[in-house]
């Protein structure tokens, strides 16, 4: 039973528009949430994170929102750029990281 | 720093053969993690080490899988015998510490294909 779910395997967005990637979790013990980005033939790299005591964290074009009551988090990318095309993994943490299955984002020029 | 190094980058083998994947963590990192990526399940933690000692191997799928860390700069993940369902990308990651605020740095992965 997956504790972290990314229900959209893929997403296509036009350059300059907003990309919204979603993630749901089931374990209320998770206290820290992260997004990793992965390019082909490379390992995942850390992108942005949020503590469970916050509901928003912003870093440049990237913003992560956390809705604890709904056990839902999302990653917003504004404006989207072709270089953002990658697989995005949502992860949740207690002691270790639990990852979702990933969402392939394609930003069309 | 060269980052986490994994070898080989690609491995193609036949069912029943032994496969050994290798990892060199970032120098000074006390934690080493082995993950497996599949389309259906995403990134799954297989096992992790602290100071060369295996701490949690509950993610290792079967007894056919084993991992060792003989020293702070080297770890192996072995599959014996391999099966087609083991085909996946295997990642090694390392971190300074455990828990939040301890970023895990991933290697480029080993793509394993078992025919």
């Amino acid at each position: 039973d997956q504790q972290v779910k990314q229900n959209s395997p893929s997403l296509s967005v036009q350059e300059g528009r907003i990309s919204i990637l979603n993630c749901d979790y089931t374990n209320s013990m998770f206290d820290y949430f992260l997004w990793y980005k992965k390019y082909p033939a490379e390992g995942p790299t850390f992108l942005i994170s949020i503590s469970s005591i916050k509901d928003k964290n912003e870093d440049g074009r990237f913003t992560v929102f956390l809705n604890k009551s709904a056990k839902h988090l999302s990653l917003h990318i504004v404006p989207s750029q072709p270089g953002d095309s990658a697989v995005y993994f949502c992860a949740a943490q207690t002691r270790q990281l639990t990852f979702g299955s990933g969402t392939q984002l394609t930003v069309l020029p | 720093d060269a980052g986490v190094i994994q070898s080989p980058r690609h491995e193609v083998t036949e069912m029943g053969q032994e496969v050994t994947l290798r990892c060199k963590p970032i120098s000074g990192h006390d934690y080493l993690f082995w993950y497996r990526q599949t389309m259906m399940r995403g990134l799954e933690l297989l096992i992790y080490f602290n100071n060369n000692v295996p701490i949690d191997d509950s993610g290792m799928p079967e007894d056919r899988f084993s991992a060792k860390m003989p020293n702070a700069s080297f770890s192996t993940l072995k599959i014996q015998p391999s099966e087609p369902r083991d085909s996946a990308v295997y990642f090694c990651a390392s971190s300074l510490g455990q828990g939040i605020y301890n970023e895990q740095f991933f290697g480029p992965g080993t793509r394993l294909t078992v025919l």
Side-chain angles (χ1 to χ4, degrees):
Chain A
D1 182 31
Q2 287 192 298
Q3 297 187 62
V4 178
K5 295 183 180 180
Q6 294 178 256
N7 292 318
S8 297
S10 63
L11 173 68
S12 291
V13 173
Q14 208 69 35
E15 180 179 5
R17 305 295 291 269
I18 185 171
S19 295
I20 300 176
L21 296 94
N22 294 303
C23 178
D24 297 296
Y25 62 95
T26 57
N27 188 347
S28 58
M29 297 300 292
F30 289 135
D31 54 12
Y32 195 62
F33 302 89
L34 308 89
W35 286 93
Y36 276 75
K37 180 168 72 173
K38 182 186 177 305
Y39 291 119
E42 296 182 10
T45 56
F46 170 75
L47 181 60
I48 192 170
S49 63
I50 187 168
S51 167
S52 61
I53 62 174
K54 295 186 176 181
D55 55 18
K56 177 182 174 181
N57 186 30
E58 189 173 353
D59 184 2
R61 297 185 296 114
F62 303 90
T63 302
V64 57
F65 295 92
L66 176 62
N67 183 335
K68 287 186 65 178
S69 61
K71 293 189 175 66
H72 177 84
L73 71 156
S74 61
L75 174 68
H76 292 210
I77 307 173
V78 181
S80 302
Q81 300 174 353
D84 297 329
S85 297
V87 176
Y88 289 78
F89 289 99
C90 168
Q93 188 161 28
T94 50
R95 294 181 68 194
Q96 299 310 325
L97 288 176
T98 302
F99 285 88
S101 55
T103 296
Q104 171 70 58
L105 173 66
T106 302
V107 180
L108 305 169
Chain B
D1 197 332
V4 176
I5 300 172
Q6 291 186 248
S7 64
R9 294 295 306 274
H10 301 272
E11 177 78 35
V12 180
T13 190
E14 292 188 347
M15 182 174 63
Q17 296 298 306
E18 177 179 298
V19 175
T20 299
L21 310 182
R22 297 172 175 80
C23 175
K24 174 180 170 57
I26 293 173
S27 176
H29 282 191
D30 290 334
Y31 286 82
L32 183 140
F33 307 84
W34 282 101
Y35 289 90
R36 177 172 68 175
Q37 182 193 4
T38 61
M39 291 293 292
M40 291 301 297
R41 301 183 65 83
L43 277 166
E44 299 176 276
L45 177 64
L46 301 178
I47 184 172
Y48 77 94
F49 295 82
N50 177 27
N51 291 324
N52 314 335
V53 177
I55 302 301
D56 184 353
D57 65 354
S58 60
M60 297 286 260
E62 299 173 35
D63 291 344
R64 299 183 296 106
F65 287 70
S66 63
K68 295 182 179 180
M69 193 165 184
N71 57 64
S73 60
F74 184 65
S75 177
T76 60
L77 178 67
K78 185 177 294 185
I79 308 172
Q80 166 63 19
S82 58
E83 296 183 3
R85 60 192 168 126
D86 302 330
S87 297
V89 182
Y90 291 81
F91 289 100
C92 176
S94 69
S95 65
L96 277 171
Q98 185 181 30
I100 65 175
Y101 309 124
N102 283 289
E103 181 181 345
Q104 291 187 21
F105 294 84
F106 283 77
T110 296
R111 180 173 293 277
L112 173 64
T113 303
V114 183
L115 303 174

